[in-house]
């Protein structure tokens, strides 16, 4: 099993303070985020579940998936959700030259502009892996690098669907940024955990907001 942290420690947030890990809030509100879409069925499922709770979220989209499934991407916009950039080909920043990495991100930004009149200035690095030089380039271009406070771990083949729901519900706090994935790999766990998280947090008075 790969090692990862469900809840990001304070020391990590402090060391990488230029990135956004969570938001300071005294209100019961959280920020659901979905990585790797948009794709048929899975992203559509997420949109339907969010609509049931009048919830807004942020979708960190892969450019190639936008290219393949423009109608689903338009639905994200139509429903008023926030859009973020997740590179065009889901690149691992640690394994990619900085100029190539930036070009891949800008390719996605250009594609988003075809459908959306606002610049895609929210960015999440795939795998959470980004070099300092890459971050410097993005920050200079006005991007906000959005990380997370809580991982659902819906991507982990070793995690149970019940554990994915508990990962969120046991760690959540006001202002948390929570990661799910609208992907085939995460589908089974997402279909189970997302409705439970939405229902549970809604009953506790939480509001679901998009990142802007």
């Amino acid at each position: 099993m790969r090692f990862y942290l469900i809840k990001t420690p304070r020391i990590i947030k402090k060391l990488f303070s230029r990135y956004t890990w969570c938001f300071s809030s005294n209100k019961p509100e959280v920020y659901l985020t979905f990585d790797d879409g948009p794709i048929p069925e899975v992203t559509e499922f997420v949109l339907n579940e969010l609509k049931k709770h009048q919830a807004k979220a942020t979708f960190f989209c892969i450019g190639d998936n936008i290219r393949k499934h423009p109608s689903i991407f338009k639905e994200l916009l139509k429903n008023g959700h926030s859009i973020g950039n997740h590179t065009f080909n889901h690149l691992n920043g640690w394994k990619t030259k900085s100029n190539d990495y930036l070009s891949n991100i800008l390719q996605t930004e250009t594609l988003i502009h075809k459908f959306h009149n606002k610049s895609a200035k929210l960015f999440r690095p795939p795998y959470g892996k980004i070099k300092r030089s890459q971050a410097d380039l993005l920050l200079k271009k006005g991007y906000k690098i959005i990380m997370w406070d809580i991982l659902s771990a819906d991507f982990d083949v070793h995690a149970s669907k019940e554990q994915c729901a508990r990962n969120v519900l046991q760690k959540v706090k006001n202002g948390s940024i929570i990661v799910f994935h609208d992907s085939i790999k995460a589908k089974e766990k997402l279909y189970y955990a997302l409705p439970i998280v939405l229902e549970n947090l809604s009953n506790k008075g939480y509001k679901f907001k998009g990142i802007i």
Side-chain angles (χ1 to χ4, degrees):
M1 183 173 179
R2 290 190 302 173
F3 174 77
Y4 54 84
L5 297 166
I6 296 300
K7 187 171 180 65
T8 306
R10 289 183 181 179
I11 185 63
I12 297 296
K13 297 176 185 177
K14 187 173 182 179
L15 286 172
F16 298 95
S17 59
R18 296 188 300 169
Y19 308 161
T20 300
W21 296 91
C22 61
F23 293 98
S24 177
S25 178
N26 57 8
K27 300 177 182 179
E29 55 190 21
V30 294
Y31 298 81
L32 295 177
T33 66
F34 298 87
D35 292 2
D36 296 354
I39 62 169
E41 187 179 335
V42 182
T43 304
E44 293 164 328
F45 167 83
V46 172
L47 287 174
N48 287 334
E49 291 301 313
L50 293 173
K51 192 176 295 185
K52 292 176 185 178
H53 296 273
Q54 298 181 319
K56 299 302 180 188
T58 305
F59 289 81
F60 288 94
C61 298
I62 293 174
D64 197 40
N65 281 339
I66 298 174
R67 181 188 64 81
K68 292 174 182 175
H69 312 293
S71 62
I72 302 174
F73 183 70
K74 290 176 184 177
E75 282 298 307
L76 298 179
L77 299 174
K78 181 180 176 181
N79 283 270
H81 297 294
S82 298
I83 301 298
N85 190 320
H86 203 47
T87 76
F88 197 87
N89 302 108
H90 205 262
L91 296 184
N92 182 330
W94 292 359
K95 298 180 179 180
T96 309
K97 294 179 180 179
S98 293
N99 287 338
D100 293 340
Y101 194 69
L102 181 62
S103 294
N104 200 267
I105 293 165
L106 295 180
Q107 185 180 0
T108 300
E109 181 177 339
T110 298
L111 184 58
I112 290 173
H113 272 301
K114 291 178 63 176
F115 304 99
H116 197 30
N117 59 9
K118 293 180 67 177
S119 181
K121 291 300 184 182
L122 302 177
F123 177 74
R124 172 171 288 158
Y127 316 101
K129 295 178 178 179
I130 185 170
K131 298 174 185 174
R132 184 184 297 273
S133 59
Q134 294 161 350
D136 288 342
L137 289 169
L138 289 172
L139 292 168
K140 286 177 182 178
K141 287 188 172 294
Y143 276 90
K144 296 178 183 177
I145 299 175
I146 309 296
M147 303 301 271
W148 57 81
D149 190 33
I150 297 172
L151 283 172
S152 66
D154 56 354
F155 58 86
D156 186 354
V157 296
H158 299 286
S160 70
K161 58 186 182 181
E162 293 84 5
Q163 185 60 53
C164 291
R166 288 196 298 270
N167 287 341
V168 177
L169 296 176
Q170 292 177 357
K171 302 293 185 181
V172 69
K173 65 178 183 179
N174 295 348
S176 285
I177 298 175
I178 301 164
V179 179
F180 285 102
H181 294 78
D182 52 332
S183 67
I184 295 299
K185 182 179 180 180
K187 176 181 174 181
E188 180 185 357
K189 298 178 180 66
L190 176 71
Y191 278 30
Y192 175 85
L194 181 60
I196 290 175
V197 167
L198 284 165
E199 184 72 23
N200 187 290
L201 295 184
S202 292
N203 289 341
K204 292 180 178 178
Y206 278 90
K207 301 298 181 184
F208 304 95
K209 303 178 69 174
I211 301 171
I212 56 175

